[in-house]
Short mmCIF file of all heavy atoms in Angstrom, two decimals:
data_model
loop_
_atom_site.label_atom_id
_atom_site.label_comp_id
_atom_site.label_asym_id
_atom_site.label_seq_id
_atom_site.Cartn_x
_atom_site.Cartn_y
_atom_site.Cartn_z
N LEU A 1 0.83 -1.21 0.00
CA LEU A 1 0.00 0.00 0.00
C LEU A 1 0.87 1.26 0.00
O LEU A 1 0.56 2.25 -0.69
CB LEU A 1 -0.94 0.00 1.20
CG LEU A 1 -2.01 1.09 1.20
CD1 LEU A 1 -2.81 1.08 -0.09
CD2 LEU A 1 -2.95 0.94 2.39
N ALA A 2 1.97 1.23 0.75
CA ALA A 2 2.88 2.38 0.75
C ALA A 2 3.46 2.61 -0.64
O ALA A 2 3.61 3.76 -1.09
CB ALA A 2 4.00 2.16 1.77
N ASP A 3 3.78 1.52 -1.35
CA ASP A 3 4.29 1.65 -2.72
C ASP A 3 3.27 2.33 -3.63
O ASP A 3 3.63 3.19 -4.45
CB ASP A 3 4.65 0.27 -3.28
CG ASP A 3 5.95 -0.28 -2.72
OD1 ASP A 3 6.70 0.51 -2.10
OD2 ASP A 3 6.20 -1.49 -2.88
N LEU A 4 2.00 1.95 -3.52
CA LEU A 4 0.97 2.51 -4.38
C LEU A 4 0.78 4.00 -4.12
O LEU A 4 0.63 4.80 -5.05
CB LEU A 4 -0.35 1.75 -4.18
CG LEU A 4 -0.38 0.36 -4.80
CD1 LEU A 4 -1.62 -0.41 -4.32
CD2 LEU A 4 -0.37 0.43 -6.32
N TYR A 5 0.77 4.38 -2.84
CA TYR A 5 0.65 5.81 -2.52
C TYR A 5 1.87 6.58 -3.02
O TYR A 5 1.74 7.71 -3.52
CB TYR A 5 0.45 6.01 -1.03
CG TYR A 5 -1.01 5.95 -0.61
CD1 TYR A 5 -1.56 4.78 -0.10
CD2 TYR A 5 -1.84 7.06 -0.73
CE1 TYR A 5 -2.90 4.72 0.26
CE2 TYR A 5 -3.18 7.01 -0.37
CZ TYR A 5 -3.69 5.83 0.13
OH TYR A 5 -5.02 5.77 0.48
N ARG A 6 3.04 6.00 -2.87
CA ARG A 6 4.26 6.67 -3.33
C ARG A 6 4.25 6.82 -4.85
O ARG A 6 4.60 7.89 -5.38
CB ARG A 6 5.50 5.90 -2.88
CG ARG A 6 6.81 6.58 -3.29
CD ARG A 6 8.00 5.93 -2.62
NE ARG A 6 8.06 4.50 -2.86
CZ ARG A 6 7.78 3.57 -1.94
NH1 ARG A 6 7.42 3.93 -0.72
NH2 ARG A 6 7.85 2.28 -2.24
N GLU A 7 3.84 5.79 -5.57
CA GLU A 7 3.76 5.86 -7.02
C GLU A 7 2.76 6.94 -7.46
O GLU A 7 3.00 7.69 -8.40
CB GLU A 7 3.36 4.50 -7.59
CG GLU A 7 4.43 3.45 -7.47
CD GLU A 7 3.92 2.07 -7.84
OE1 GLU A 7 2.81 1.99 -8.42
OE2 GLU A 7 4.62 1.08 -7.56
N GLY A 8 1.62 6.99 -6.76
CA GLY A 8 0.63 8.01 -7.09
C GLY A 8 1.16 9.41 -6.86
O GLY A 8 0.92 10.33 -7.65
N ARG A 9 1.91 9.60 -5.76
CA ARG A 9 2.50 10.90 -5.46
C ARG A 9 3.54 11.27 -6.52
O ARG A 9 3.60 12.41 -6.98
CB ARG A 9 3.14 10.88 -4.08
CG ARG A 9 3.71 12.24 -3.65
CD ARG A 9 4.37 12.15 -2.30
NE ARG A 9 5.57 11.33 -2.34
CZ ARG A 9 5.72 10.19 -1.68
NH1 ARG A 9 4.74 9.71 -0.93
NH2 ARG A 9 6.83 9.48 -1.77
N ASP A 10 4.35 10.29 -6.91
CA ASP A 10 5.39 10.57 -7.91
C ASP A 10 4.78 10.93 -9.26
O ASP A 10 5.26 11.84 -9.95
CB ASP A 10 6.31 9.36 -8.06
CG ASP A 10 7.17 9.12 -6.83
OD1 ASP A 10 7.25 10.04 -5.99
OD2 ASP A 10 7.73 8.01 -6.69
N ARG A 11 3.69 10.25 -9.63
CA ARG A 11 3.03 10.59 -10.90
C ARG A 11 2.48 12.00 -10.85
O ARG A 11 2.56 12.76 -11.81
CB ARG A 11 1.91 9.59 -11.19
CG ARG A 11 2.38 8.25 -11.71
CD ARG A 11 1.24 7.46 -12.31
NE ARG A 11 0.21 7.17 -11.32
CZ ARG A 11 0.20 6.08 -10.55
NH1 ARG A 11 1.17 5.18 -10.66
NH2 ARG A 11 -0.77 5.88 -9.69
N GLY A 12 1.90 12.37 -9.71
CA GLY A 12 1.37 13.72 -9.56
C GLY A 12 2.46 14.76 -9.64
O GLY A 12 2.29 15.83 -10.26
N THR A 13 3.62 14.46 -9.06
CA THR A 13 4.74 15.40 -9.11
C THR A 13 5.25 15.57 -10.53
O THR A 13 5.54 16.68 -10.98
CB THR A 13 5.89 14.89 -8.21
OG1 THR A 13 5.42 14.78 -6.86
CG2 THR A 13 7.07 15.85 -8.25
N ARG A 14 5.32 14.45 -11.28
CA ARG A 14 5.77 14.53 -12.67
C ARG A 14 4.81 15.34 -13.52
O ARG A 14 5.21 16.15 -14.34
CB ARG A 14 5.95 13.13 -13.25
CG ARG A 14 7.18 12.39 -12.74
CD ARG A 14 7.51 11.22 -13.63
NE ARG A 14 6.43 10.23 -13.62
CZ ARG A 14 6.35 9.22 -12.75
NH1 ARG A 14 7.27 9.09 -11.79
NH2 ARG A 14 5.36 8.35 -12.81
N ARG A 15 3.49 15.11 -13.29
CA ARG A 15 2.50 15.87 -14.06
C ARG A 15 2.60 17.36 -13.77
O ARG A 15 2.50 18.20 -14.66
CB ARG A 15 1.09 15.36 -13.75
CG ARG A 15 0.75 14.04 -14.42
CD ARG A 15 -0.74 13.81 -14.40
NE ARG A 15 -1.24 13.71 -13.04
CZ ARG A 15 -1.35 12.58 -12.36
NH1 ARG A 15 -0.99 11.43 -12.93
NH2 ARG A 15 -1.83 12.56 -11.12
N THR A 16 2.80 17.70 -12.49
CA THR A 16 2.93 19.10 -12.11
C THR A 16 4.15 19.74 -12.77
O THR A 16 4.11 20.85 -13.29
CB THR A 16 3.03 19.23 -10.58
OG1 THR A 16 1.86 18.67 -9.99
CG2 THR A 16 3.15 20.68 -10.16
N GLY A 17 5.27 19.01 -12.74
CA GLY A 17 6.49 19.51 -13.35
C GLY A 17 6.35 19.67 -14.85
O GLY A 17 6.79 20.67 -15.43
N GLN A 18 5.71 18.69 -15.51
CA GLN A 18 5.51 18.78 -16.96
C GLN A 18 4.60 19.95 -17.31
O GLN A 18 4.80 20.66 -18.28
CB GLN A 18 4.94 17.47 -17.48
CG GLN A 18 5.93 16.32 -17.42
CD GLN A 18 5.26 14.96 -17.63
OE1 GLN A 18 4.04 14.89 -17.79
NE2 GLN A 18 6.04 13.91 -17.63
N GLY A 19 3.55 20.14 -16.46
CA GLY A 19 2.62 21.24 -16.70
C GLY A 19 3.31 22.58 -16.59
O GLY A 19 3.10 23.49 -17.39
N ALA A 20 4.21 22.71 -15.60
CA ALA A 20 4.95 23.96 -15.43
C ALA A 20 5.88 24.21 -16.61
O ALA A 20 6.03 25.33 -17.10
CB ALA A 20 5.75 23.92 -14.13
N SER A 21 6.52 23.13 -17.12
CA SER A 21 7.43 23.28 -18.25
C SER A 21 6.68 23.70 -19.50
O SER A 21 7.12 24.56 -20.27
CB SER A 21 8.16 21.96 -18.51
OG SER A 21 8.95 21.61 -17.39
N VAL A 22 5.52 23.08 -19.73
CA VAL A 22 4.71 23.44 -20.90
C VAL A 22 4.25 24.88 -20.82
O VAL A 22 4.30 25.63 -21.79
CB VAL A 22 3.50 22.48 -21.02
CG1 VAL A 22 2.53 22.99 -22.09
CG2 VAL A 22 3.96 21.08 -21.35
N ALA A 23 3.80 25.29 -19.63
CA ALA A 23 3.35 26.67 -19.45
C ALA A 23 4.48 27.66 -19.72
O ALA A 23 4.29 28.70 -20.36
CB ALA A 23 2.80 26.87 -18.03
N ALA A 24 5.69 27.33 -19.23
CA ALA A 24 6.84 28.22 -19.44
C ALA A 24 7.19 28.32 -20.93
O ALA A 24 7.46 29.40 -21.45
CB ALA A 24 8.04 27.72 -18.64
N SER A 25 7.16 27.18 -21.64
CA SER A 25 7.51 27.19 -23.06
C SER A 25 6.48 27.97 -23.86
O SER A 25 6.83 28.67 -24.81
CB SER A 25 7.62 25.76 -23.59
OG SER A 25 6.35 25.11 -23.52
N ARG A 26 5.21 27.86 -23.46
CA ARG A 26 4.18 28.62 -24.17
C ARG A 26 4.37 30.11 -23.96
O ARG A 26 4.15 30.92 -24.86
CB ARG A 26 2.79 28.18 -23.68
CG ARG A 26 2.37 26.81 -24.20
CD ARG A 26 1.05 26.39 -23.58
NE ARG A 26 0.63 25.10 -24.12
CZ ARG A 26 -0.38 24.40 -23.62
NH1 ARG A 26 -1.06 24.87 -22.58
NH2 ARG A 26 -0.72 23.25 -24.16
N THR A 27 4.78 30.48 -22.75
CA THR A 27 5.00 31.90 -22.46
C THR A 27 6.12 32.45 -23.34
O THR A 27 6.05 33.55 -23.89
CB THR A 27 5.37 32.09 -20.97
OG1 THR A 27 4.28 31.63 -20.18
CG2 THR A 27 5.62 33.56 -20.66
N ILE A 28 7.18 31.65 -23.51
CA ILE A 28 8.32 32.08 -24.33
C ILE A 28 7.90 32.25 -25.79
O ILE A 28 8.24 33.21 -26.46
CB ILE A 28 9.48 31.07 -24.21
CG1 ILE A 28 10.07 31.14 -22.80
CG2 ILE A 28 10.55 31.34 -25.27
CD1 ILE A 28 11.09 30.07 -22.52
N ARG A 29 7.09 31.26 -26.29
CA ARG A 29 6.67 31.34 -27.68
C ARG A 29 5.74 32.51 -27.94
O ARG A 29 5.76 33.12 -29.00
CB ARG A 29 5.99 30.03 -28.09
CG ARG A 29 6.94 28.87 -28.28
CD ARG A 29 6.27 27.76 -29.04
NE ARG A 29 5.13 27.21 -28.30
CZ ARG A 29 5.20 26.18 -27.46
NH1 ARG A 29 6.38 25.62 -27.23
NH2 ARG A 29 4.14 25.74 -26.85
#
């Protein structure tokens, strides 16, 4: 169960980071 919660947290962190990167690139363009 700890593994599943950790995996879910890591996926959320990756999505947040990707979203921030996309937003930054759009701002530059």
Side-chain angles (χ1 to χ4, degrees):
L1 189 53
D3 284 346
L4 286 169
Y5 272 97
R6 182 170 54 253
E7 290 171 13
R9 184 182 67 244
D10 292 345
R11 283 195 298 270
T13 300
R14 286 196 297 271
R15 283 196 298 269
T16 301
Q18 291 167 358
S21 298
V22 170
S25 64
R26 286 175 178 170
T27 299
I28 291 172
R29 286 196 297 269

